[in-house]
């Protein structure tokens, strides 16, 4: 079986650490499941574990993973197969297969100890170190997934020192194999280093205030850092009396009471407080402060009935906040241009972007059984969209609406198990673009959709499946229209719009803008 590099690590990479006792509380495996696995694989497992060679470990792991993919309605058996396959694949040096199995296990049994990326790092490091040059490049990407996944878990646990160590290891690997994630890893390392410095400063200031409760300057700086760096007004409120600042104490009190029931004056007061914080911060720290300010201003507008000078002032403040957020976003996008951006992790909010009842976000993967969802971004110029997904049944598949050029132009791709097409191109019959494919339900696939600005008003469109070109069109930009049957609702504006018929799991959705 061909394992798609970096498909598997979505849930491992972003899953939160297991809650104590959660693995024991939730157990999808029954005694019948164990008996079935014993009947089908018990003897093979015992034989493989007796041998000294590792190639048979890898072969059996792949056999078990493939078998698990054929029984989507037997979650307990699949869990047992993945649990056995993970160490076998790792022992056999097939880190991609091990990561894939751990990923699938994490979707069915969140929090199981076998899904912890740190457990696989030693085997991945050994396989990477012993591999020849060609094999090392292949092993590097899943090894990076494990390092970054473990770093993410360490960060969530506030173990920033461990997160930094793991990112430094990842940075060395990425530089060695010239991975396209080098810049992302370096940015992550810089962010973690800054977060570690901020945390150390918070600890020092906290100790200073505890040692001298009348240290007003330390208390005020501590509150600022807790709010702007940690987004933790509850912790900051503990030092409000030491700061001798009535306005800050009042704002923190309203923050901790919540925005939902806030009065108009309280909402206005907190909105202005967050705006003042944002005015004195660099963009990275100002961004969440501006977002909070907008939430509180929205509450003010919801409860303030009059159209007077105060209402106009708030409306202007909202415009100022949104304008700065737009500018920050433009700067971030310019800095990220040429890098792959994980849209699920950075932009997708289920309550706002899922259009249907049968859509869930599970371990940072979108699991859908018919319906539609959007990614709230409208790329400009040339770009690529990389989608890693698994279609779980023989269905009509996926339709993808991609904004290009002017406001109402969009490329429309259709991906199915057996064939693929493009539509809404003037003068081109959709059937004439049809290309057959030999994809299988239950098999992960990587799709790359490309839109390229070209000279003389031309546009290039293409779709690749697992690195192989399937669809391609080059022509006048003016011929690309918007497919009315799959376009997003008008009120959503310019967005990337996915329509899916049937069951599918979107492991990762990434965007790379070329300018």
């Amino acid at each position: 079986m061909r394992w798609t590099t970096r498909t598997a690590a979505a849930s491992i990479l972003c899953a939160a650490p297991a809650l104590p006792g959660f693995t024991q509380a939730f157990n999808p495996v029954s005694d019948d499941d164990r008996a079935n696995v014993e009947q089908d694989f018990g003897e093979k497992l015992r034989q493989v574990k007796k041998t000294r060679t590792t190639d048979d470990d890898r072969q059996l792991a792949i056999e078990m993973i493939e078998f698990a993919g054929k029984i989507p309605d037997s979650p307990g058996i699949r869990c047992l197969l993945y649990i056995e396959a993970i160490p076998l694949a790792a022992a056999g040096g097939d880190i991609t297969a091990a990561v894939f199995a751990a990923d699938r296990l994490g979707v069915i049994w969140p929090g199981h100890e076998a899904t912890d990326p740190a457990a696989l790092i030693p085997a991945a490091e050994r396989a990477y170190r012993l591999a020849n040059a060609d094999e090392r490049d292949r092993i590097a990407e899943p090894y990076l997934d494990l390092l970054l996944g473990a770093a993410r878990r360490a960060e969530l646990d506030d173990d920033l020192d461990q997160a930094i160590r793991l990112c430094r290891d990842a940075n060395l690997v990425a530089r060695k194999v010239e991975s396209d994630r080098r810049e992302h890893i370096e940015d992550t390392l810089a962010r973690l280093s800054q977060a570690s410095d901020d945390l150390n400063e918070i600890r020092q200031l906290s100790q200073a205030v505890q040692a001298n409760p009348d240290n007003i300057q330390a208390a005020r700086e501590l509150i600022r850092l807790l709010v702007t760096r940690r987004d933790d007004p509850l912790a900051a409120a503990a030092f409000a009396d030491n700061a001798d600042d009535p306005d800050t104490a009042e704002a923190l009190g309203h923050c901790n009471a919540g925005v939902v029931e806030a009065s108009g004056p309280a909402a206005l007061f907190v909105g202005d407080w967050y705006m003042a914080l944002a005015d004195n911060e660099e963009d990275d720290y100002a961004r969440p402060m501006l977002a909070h300010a907008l939430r509180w201003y929205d509450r003010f507008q919801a409860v303030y009935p009059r159209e007077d000078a105060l209402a106009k002032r708030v409306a202007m403040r909202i415009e100022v906040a949104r304008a700065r957020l737009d500018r920050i976003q433009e700067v971030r996008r310019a800095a990220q241009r040429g890098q792959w951006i994980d849209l699920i992790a950075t932009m997708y909010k289920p309550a706002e972007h899922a259009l249907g009842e049968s859509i869930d976000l599970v371990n940072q993967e979108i699991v859908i059984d018919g319906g539609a969802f959007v990614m709230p971004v409208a790329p400009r110029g040339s770009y690529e969209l990389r989608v890693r997904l698994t279609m779980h049944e023989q269905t009509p598949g996926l339709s993808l609406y991609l904004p290009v050029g002017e406001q109402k132009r969009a490329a429309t791709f259709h991906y199915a198990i057996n064939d693929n097409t493009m539509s809404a191109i003037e003068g081109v019959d959709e059937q004439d673009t049809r290309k057959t494919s030999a994809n299988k339900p239950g098999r992960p696939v990587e799709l790359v959709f490309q839109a390229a600005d070209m000279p003389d008003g031309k546009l290039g469109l293409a779709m690749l499946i697992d690195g192989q070109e399937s669809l391609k069109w080059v022509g006048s930009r003016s011929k690309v229209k918007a497919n009315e049957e799959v376009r997003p609702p008008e009120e959503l504006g310019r967005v990337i719009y996915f329509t899916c018929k049937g069951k599918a799991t979107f492991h990762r959705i990434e965007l790379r803008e070329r300018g």
Side-chain angles (χ1 to χ4, degrees):
M1 179 174 183
R2 177 181 177 183
W3 303 107
T4 305
T5 303
R6 293 173 61 192
T7 298
S11 65
I12 288 180
L13 192 61
C14 302
L19 297 175
F22 181 73
T23 302
Q24 290 74 24
F26 174 78
N27 188 335
V29 176
S30 68
D31 290 339
D32 286 343
D33 295 330
R34 292 187 179 89
N36 285 325
V37 172
E38 168 61 28
Q39 179 180 336
D40 291 336
F41 288 97
E43 186 59 31
K44 292 180 180 179
L45 282 166
R46 285 186 285 275
Q47 289 297 322
V48 162
K49 291 176 181 179
K50 289 179 181 178
T51 65
R52 294 185 177 181
T53 62
T54 58
D55 190 56
D56 55 352
D57 294 52
R58 175 183 175 278
Q59 291 175 3
L60 181 57
I62 291 175
E63 181 183 345
M64 298 176 83
I65 294 170
E66 288 181 337
F67 186 81
K70 297 175 182 177
I71 50 171
D73 296 326
S74 302
I77 296 176
R78 294 177 69 201
C79 284
L80 291 172
L81 292 172
Y82 290 137
I83 289 169
E84 292 287 355
I86 291 166
L88 289 173
D94 195 335
I95 303 305
T96 306
V99 172
F100 179 90
D103 165 67
R104 297 295 86 211
L105 176 63
V107 172
I108 308 169
W109 195 342
H112 190 280
E113 60 186 9
T115 65
D116 184 357
L120 286 172
I121 286 176
E125 191 277 333
R126 180 176 183 276
Y128 173 78
R129 179 167 42 83
L130 297 178
N132 60 38
D134 292 337
E135 283 293 299
R136 181 173 293 174
D137 289 347
R138 181 183 64 81
I139 292 170
E141 291 301 334
Y143 182 26
L144 286 173
D145 285 330
L146 292 172
L147 290 168
L148 295 173
R152 176 59 175 158
R153 287 196 176 195
E155 182 183 3
L156 291 171
D157 285 339
D158 269 343
D159 189 352
L160 294 177
D161 290 341
Q162 175 67 358
I164 289 170
R165 282 193 292 270
L166 289 162
C167 271
R168 283 175 177 161
D169 289 344
N171 194 35
L172 290 174
V173 174
R175 290 166 66 91
K176 181 71 174 179
V177 300
E178 298 184 352
S179 169
D180 63 2
R181 288 190 278 179
R182 281 177 297 173
E183 291 187 24
H184 166 70
I185 294 170
E186 288 170 357
D187 290 344
T188 301
L189 187 55
R191 178 180 61 78
L192 289 172
S193 297
Q194 181 61 57
S196 180
D197 291 344
D198 292 337
L199 186 58
N200 287 333
E201 187 174 0
I202 286 170
R203 288 169 177 162
Q204 292 170 6
L205 289 168
S206 178
Q207 292 169 358
V209 174
Q210 290 171 2
N212 179 10
D214 296 327
N215 191 336
I216 294 174
Q217 184 177 355
R220 290 180 177 178
E221 180 64 8
L222 177 58
I223 288 172
R224 184 185 72 84
L225 290 176
L226 285 169
V227 174
T228 61
R229 302 312 194 255
R230 306 288 291 177
D231 198 12
D232 194 349
L234 184 61
F239 302 95
D241 291 341
N242 305 95
D244 192 25
D245 184 344
D247 286 349
T248 295
E250 181 180 350
L252 290 171
H254 290 315
C255 286
N256 292 318
V259 69
V260 176
E261 301 295 333
S263 66
L268 177 59
F269 188 86
V270 178
D272 285 346
W273 182 71
Y274 271 120
M275 283 290 283
L277 286 172
D279 288 342
N280 293 303
E281 296 291 341
E282 296 179 358
D283 285 351
D284 284 346
Y285 299 120
R287 190 162 58 98
M289 300 301 101
L290 293 167
H292 285 312
L294 289 175
R295 287 175 55 243
W296 287 89
Y297 285 147
D298 285 346
R299 173 62 184 173
F300 172 83
Q301 290 185 323
V303 298
Y304 191 74
R306 294 190 292 274
E307 293 289 338
D308 56 11
L310 182 59
K312 290 180 179 177
R313 185 183 79 79
V314 171
M316 291 180 62
R317 296 289 279 171
I318 290 173
E319 287 185 13
V320 169
R322 287 177 175 165
R324 187 175 178 191
L325 280 173
D326 288 344
R327 183 183 64 78
I328 292 172
Q329 183 63 20
E330 282 300 311
V331 171
R332 286 167 61 88
R333 287 177 65 175
Q336 292 170 340
R337 193 157 287 130
Q339 301 179 43
W340 287 107
I341 308 302
D342 186 338
L343 298 185
I344 296 178
T346 60
M347 294 188 180
Y348 182 74
K349 299 178 181 178
E352 299 176 21
H353 303 139
L355 309 179
E357 296 181 356
S358 300
I359 307 174
D360 295 304
L361 184 65
V362 180
N363 291 327
Q364 291 298 311
E365 297 184 316
I366 298 174
V367 180
I368 185 170
D369 188 359
F373 63 90
V374 303
M375 287 296 162
V377 59
R380 301 174 183 176
S382 300
Y383 67 92
E384 297 173 278
L385 187 76
R386 184 163 63 187
V387 180
R388 297 184 176 91
L389 81 159
T390 299
M391 304 295 295
H392 296 297
E393 56 191 11
Q394 198 85 16
T395 68
L398 165 72
S399 294
L400 179 60
Y401 179 99
L402 288 174
V404 293
E406 293 86 353
Q407 181 74 16
K408 294 186 178 180
R409 300 196 187 280
T412 307
F413 294 91
H414 308 275
Y415 165 78
I417 295 295
N418 296 323
D419 55 30
N420 316 288
T421 61
M422 284 188 284
S423 65
I425 299 175
E426 183 181 321
V428 178
D429 191 300
E430 180 179 342
Q431 298 304 316
D432 292 338
T433 70
R434 185 178 302 277
K435 293 289 181 65
T436 59
S437 56
N439 305 309
K440 296 180 180 179
R443 175 189 177 275
V445 65
E446 178 178 286
L447 309 178
V448 176
F449 303 91
Q450 298 175 332
D453 273 336
M454 304 178 75
D456 302 324
K458 290 187 176 181
L459 177 71
L461 301 174
M463 180 175 81
L464 287 72
I465 302 176
D466 285 338
Q468 301 298 312
E469 186 177 282
S470 175
L471 301 175
K472 184 177 182 179
W473 176 85
V474 177
S476 171
R477 180 186 303 276
S478 63
K479 292 184 178 295
V480 178
K481 310 298 182 183
N483 188 324
E484 297 296 331
E485 295 181 1
V486 297
R487 72 180 304 167
E490 193 72 30
E491 61 270 18
L492 295 177
R494 277 171 61 82
V495 292
I496 297 174
Y497 184 60
F498 295 78
T499 305
C500 190
K501 297 180 180 179
K503 297 180 181 179
T505 300
F506 290 80
H507 308 293
R508 188 174 291 186
I509 301 172
E510 299 170 298
L511 176 70
R512 177 163 65 182
E513 295 185 84
R514 296 293 195 179

